[in-house]
Amino acid sequence: MRPGKSRCMERSAHMALALDAAREAAQRGEVPVGAVVVSPEGRVLAVRGNETRATHDPSAHAEVQAIRAACAMLGQERLPGASLYVTLEPCAACAGVIAAARIARLYYGASDPKSGGTEHGARVFSHPQAHHTPEIYAGIAEREAEALLRAFFQVRRG
Amino acid sequence: MRPGKSRCMERSAHMALALDAAREAAQRGEVPVGAVVVSPEGRVLAVRGNETRATHDPSAHAEVQAIRAACAMLGQERLPGASLYVTLEPCAACAGVIAAARIARLYYGASDPKSGGTEHGARVFSHPQAHHTPEIYAGIAEREAEALLRAFFQVRRG
C-alpha cells in the first residue's frame, strides 16, 4: 500500500470515530459535534462529543473535552505532535485551547460561518497571540458532519 | 453613600479577591492570574486562579475555572447578568468561553499585548461569530496585576 493511501485511510477512520461521537452527542440532546485526539504514533487517545448540557459547562465543546481527556491520561498540559479530528470548524474558544495544547495537525469536517473561529470570525490562528498554529485540513467528511447538524436543528426547530 | 461610589468600592473589592487568587496561583507555581464571578445580585459565586499545571488542562485558565465553578454551582451552562473580574486581559480561548457563558460585564486588570484575545489579536468580541459581547471595563487594578506577573516571570527567568 502506498504511504499516501494509508494516511488517507487513517484519516477517514479517525473522522469516522469523531462522527460516531457526534451522533452519540445528538442522542443525549447535545449539539452533534465529535472530536478525536490521536498521538504522534497514531494511537487514539480520546474520543468525545459535546457535553455542555450534561456538565453545565459552556467550555465543554467536543474538542476541548477530547483535549482535556488526552492531557489527563498523559499527565501533561500539552500534546505536541498530536492530531485533532473534529466534525465542525472550531470556534474561537476551541481554537485557543488547540493552540495552547500545541496540537500539530487539525482536521475538521464542516465549515461554520455562523460560529467558527478558525476560518471565520476571530480567525484565532492568524494572529501572533495564538503562539502556535497547527497544520489545518478542512472538509474531511464534510457532508456527513453537515447532515448530522442539519437533522439535529431541523427537529429542534420543527 | 452615592451609588457611583458604592459601585466603585464593590469593583475594588471584587478585583482584590481576584488579585488574591492570582497570588495563590503563583505560590502553586501557576501563572499568577485570578478571576471572580459575581451574580447579578452582587454575590460572589466563584474565585479561582490559573490551574493549568495542577490539572494538566490547557483550558484551565482562571476565568474558565471560575465560570465552570459558578455554572456547576448553579446547575446551568450560562450566567446571564453575571460579572467576571480577571486580573489579566482574557486570551482568545477565555473570551470565547465568556461569550458562550453570556457574561454581562467583564472587568480586567492588565492588558496582554502578547497573548490577549480581547483588545489584541483575535479580538473575539468584535466578530459576529461571538454571538454575545459583554460590557468591558479595562485597567482595574492594572498596576498590581502587572506587578504580580512581572515578579513571577523575573524569578523564573532569573
Side-chain angles (χ1 to χ4, degrees), chain B residues 42-66:
Chain B
R43 190 162 58 103
V44 173
L45 298 177
V47 183
R48 300 294 281 267
N50 259 346
E51 294 180 304
T52 60
R53 291 183 164 225
T55 60
H56 305 302
D57 178 354
S59 74
H61 285 184
E63 45 276 66
V64 171
Q65 294 299 83

Side-chain angles (χ1 to χ4, degrees), chain A residues 52-53 56-59 64 67-68 71-72 75-77 92-93 96-97 100-101 113-116 120-122 124 127 129 131, chain B residues 52-53 56-59 64 67-68 71-72 75-77 92-93 96-97 100-101 113-116 120-122 124 127 129 131:
Chain A
T52 60
R53 290 181 165 228
H56 305 301
D57 178 355
S59 75
V64 171
I67 287 171
R68 291 171 86 189
C71 284
Q76 57 194 49
E77 60 171 304
V97 175
K114 193 168 160 270
S115 307
H120 295 95
V124 168
H127 306 281
Q129 285 82 356
H131 300 303
Chain B
T52 60
R53 291 183 164 225
H56 305 302
D57 178 354
S59 74
V64 171
I67 288 171
R68 282 178 178 153
C71 284
Q76 57 194 51
E77 59 171 305
V97 175
K114 193 167 160 269
S115 308
H120 295 94
V124 168
H127 306 280
Q129 286 82 357
H131 299 303

Side-chain angles (χ1 to χ4, degrees), chain A residues 67 78 94-103 124-125 130-134:
Chain A
I67 287 171
R78 290 182 175 177
C94 291
V97 175
I98 288 165
R102 303 294 189 261
I103 293 288
V124 168
F125 301 117
H131 300 303
H132 171 82
T133 302

